[in-house]
Amino acid sequence: MAKDPNRSDDRTSIERELKRGSLELIVLHLLAPGEAYGYEIVTKLTTQTNGALGVTDGTLYPVLYRLERAGFVAVRWETPERGVPRKYYQLTPEGRRELARLKHDWNAFAGAMARLLANEEEK
């Protein structure tokens, strides 16, 4: 049985898959101006997208760990005078190259989708 494209659970699934496929690009982009810690990244993402691309810590940290293992981000710990230690993430030169590559790929994909959807509207 085909799913109703207007059902919210179908839409949520598509949104989840789009986020999953673009989170590395998103995180690298948010780290491009300078270092940030996890909660700060979540807040920036939510604020800059008006909540459309909000993620949880449980979604973000596995991405950060993957980026760290790949050598795209470096980390440092800071312990404030009061409070808990924070792990700050910063792009490495390899991370900046990966960001440029992912942006190029995303723009090519977005352009192809725009052409496809424009052709669909002309029929």
Side-chain angles (χ1 to χ4, degrees):
M1 178 176 183
K3 290 186 176 182
D4 179 357
N6 296 317
R7 288 187 42 194
S8 64
D9 59 336
D10 292 339
R11 200 168 326 132
T12 302
S13 176
I14 290 169
E15 289 172 6
R16 183 174 45 249
E17 292 303 316
L18 284 171
K19 281 183 198 175
R20 185 176 298 150
S22 58
L23 270 176
E24 290 183 1
L25 169 59
I26 290 167
V27 171
L28 292 173
H29 174 75
L30 291 173
L31 290 173
E35 68 179 9
Y37 58 95
Y39 179 75
E40 196 173 14
I41 295 168
V42 169
T43 302
K44 284 180 183 182
L45 177 57
T46 303
T47 302
Q48 292 180 20
T49 65
N50 293 324
L53 296 178
V55 296
T56 64
D57 292 351
T59 301
L60 176 66
Y61 284 104
V63 173
L64 287 168
Y65 299 148
R66 275 197 313 274
L67 293 172
E68 183 181 357
R69 280 192 308 273
F72 299 143
V73 298
V75 299
R76 74 172 181 86
W77 284 93
E78 184 176 299
T79 304
E81 212 171 285
R82 293 187 201 179
V84 297
R86 288 185 179 155
K87 189 175 185 180
Y88 285 84
Y89 299 86
Q90 181 178 352
L91 288 185
T92 63
E94 295 84 12
R96 292 199 181 278
R97 286 190 289 277
E98 179 68 0
L99 174 58
R101 186 188 70 76
L102 291 174
K103 280 184 177 180
H104 177 269
D105 291 351
W106 180 265
N107 287 330
F109 173 77
M113 286 297 293
R115 287 188 300 278
L116 175 68
L117 295 175
N119 286 336
E120 182 72 18
E121 291 173 356
E122 294 174 3
K123 290 185 177 186

